[in-house]
Amino acid sequence: MAPRVDALYYYLLGSALAVVLLVAGLILYFSLKYRKGSRADRGPISPLYRAIVETTYIGAPLIVFASMFYWGATLFFEGVQSPDDAIDIHVIGKQWMWKLQQPSGRREINELHVPLGRAVRLTMISQDVIHSFYVPAFRVKQDVLPGRYVQTWFEPTSLGEFRLLCAEYCGTNHSRMIGRVIVMEPSRYEAWLGGASAREEPVTAGARLFEELRCAGCHQGSTPRGPALDHVWGEKVQLAGGGTVVADDDYLRESILRPAAKVVAGYPPIMPSFESQLDEEDLLELIAYLKSLSNQPRHQP
Ligand code: CUA
């Protein structure tokens, strides 16, 4: 993505430069041509000439600005739509560090190891204030907000270490909220992943939490008191009082923390809040587990 972001940037810079040169050139030209005492024609200009001039100076900027918008919007959409086969990394920003978790469960602080040539999707949230995940070399900069998941993605195309910064002023040690992204050969990445002692994958940890919190007590069984949770992720949910919502990461997070916010039609609002029992890591793991359930084949009736 980086060369394409740069191309757009140089296009913006180039157009700005062209306008500066044009305006400065015209100022110089007119101040010489119409200087006091010069014999330049100061009579009225013809309506046709005026019309041509006005059409040009309305039309030309319109074309240039519209092209900037089209180019920028196209790049933006590609920048937010990650490929399906991307590696999922969880990122939690906090004052003042980046906490990252690999799909294998391996955790890192202020370091992110990724394999060369594979798309990497980051699902990010902050546990306090607004931070911004910024890897200048990848032209990736995404604000990380409390209370809401945001995603971004990149595909590293060369090996090495790249600076990771926080690009949103977030308090005293904002300037020290720095780290690095390490791009490795895929084989070395696999070895690095396996090198750590056994860790729980987010899906496994989520399943364990699901068990520990006794979610199944209400959400499973023959007479469930809450809606079934297998195949809920990505589905449309009918709400009590009308309306629907797509069960994405944010909806699931909200429903765990503030169950009364969006109650599923046909069920009483009896679920307690789990806000005091879960941190952002737990929530990401629970959601990863619910997501994994919806990837499994449905039970045959
Ligand atoms: Cu986090 Cu600045």
Side-chain angles (χ1 to χ4, degrees):
M1 195 63 99
R4 300 177 53 203
V5 172
D6 289 357
L8 175 60
Y9 175 76
Y10 288 127
Y11 174 63
L12 297 179
L13 198 64
S15 342
L17 197 65
V19 170
V20 165
L21 291 178
L22 183 69
V23 170
L26 285 176
I27 289 174
L28 198 64
Y29 171 73
F30 286 134
S31 44
L32 287 175
K33 183 174 178 191
Y34 294 105
R35 70 187 183 279
K36 193 174 178 187
S38 76
R39 280 202 222 133
D41 176 14
R42 290 177 169 80
I45 57 171
S46 76
L48 176 67
Y49 181 67
R50 185 190 295 269
I52 291 171
V53 168
E54 291 194 1
T55 311
T56 310
Y57 73 61
I58 291 170
L62 182 70
I63 292 169
V64 172
F65 282 124
S67 70
M68 286 174 182
F69 174 78
Y70 177 77
W71 193 343
T74 322
L75 259 184
F76 174 79
F77 281 118
E78 281 181 42
V80 293
Q81 286 165 336
S82 52
D84 289 337
D85 62 347
I87 300 174
D88 270 302
I89 307 265
H90 293 164
V91 180
I92 298 173
K94 59 173 281 194
Q95 290 168 317
W96 286 275
M97 64 174 77
W98 295 106
K99 293 163 74 181
L100 304 108
Q101 190 176 26
Q102 300 277 341
S104 70
R106 179 157 185 179
R107 291 199 165 90
E108 306 185 74
I109 287 179
N110 292 342
E111 280 193 352
L112 172 60
H113 291 74
V114 288
L116 181 71
R118 277 286 305 275
V120 175
R121 173 172 44 237
L122 308 172
T123 301
M124 310 194 282
I125 195 162
S126 164
Q127 67 181 59
D128 37 51
V129 301
I130 301 177
H131 303 277
S132 189
F133 189 96
Y134 182 30
V135 186
F138 299 171
R139 312 295 189 269
V140 164
K141 187 196 272 176
Q142 174 63 54
D143 279 11
V144 179
L145 313 170
R148 192 201 306 178
Y149 295 114
V150 289
Q151 286 194 338
T152 190
W153 75 281
F154 57 82
E155 186 176 320
T157 52
S158 57
L159 295 170
E161 286 188 17
F162 304 92
R163 290 207 298 163
L164 161 63
L165 306 166
C166 175
E168 183 67 46
Y169 180 60
C170 56
T172 313
N173 286 331
H174 155 72
S175 61
R176 296 222 205 119
M177 195 167 160
I178 48 181
R180 54 201 184 124
V181 179
I182 299 131
V183 182
M184 313 167 91
E185 292 285 2
S187 56
R188 287 198 52 211
Y189 171 73
E190 291 303 329
W192 174 85
L193 271 186
S197 54
R199 279 179 176 80
E200 256 183 328
E201 291 181 20
V203 173
T204 321
R208 184 176 47 73
L209 279 169
F210 196 82
E211 194 71 27
E212 283 172 14
L213 297 166
R214 310 211 170 283
C215 307
C218 289
H219 287 285
Q220 281 171 11
S222 47
T223 52
R225 285 183 288 168
L229 295 181
D230 43 345
H231 305 109
V232 69
W233 190 86
E235 297 291 321
K236 248 194 198 142
V237 176
Q238 201 75 39
L239 296 180
T244 58
V245 63
V246 173
D248 57 7
D249 295 358
D250 279 311
Y251 167 76
L252 294 175
R253 182 177 180 281
E254 181 186 52
S255 296
I256 297 168
L257 297 179
R258 290 176 295 281
K262 296 192 181 76
V263 177
V264 178
Y267 294 95
I270 52 168
M271 176 166 158
S273 164
F274 285 83
E275 196 143 24
S276 57
Q277 298 174 54
L278 299 170
D279 61 21
E280 295 297 347
E281 275 173 32
D282 299 332
L283 287 162
L284 280 165
E285 289 164 351
L286 268 175
I287 292 166
Y289 172 62
L290 293 174
K291 213 173 192 168
S292 76
L293 292 181
S294 62
N295 290 336
Q296 286 165 6
R298 285 174 188 277
H299 294 294
Q300 294 303 314

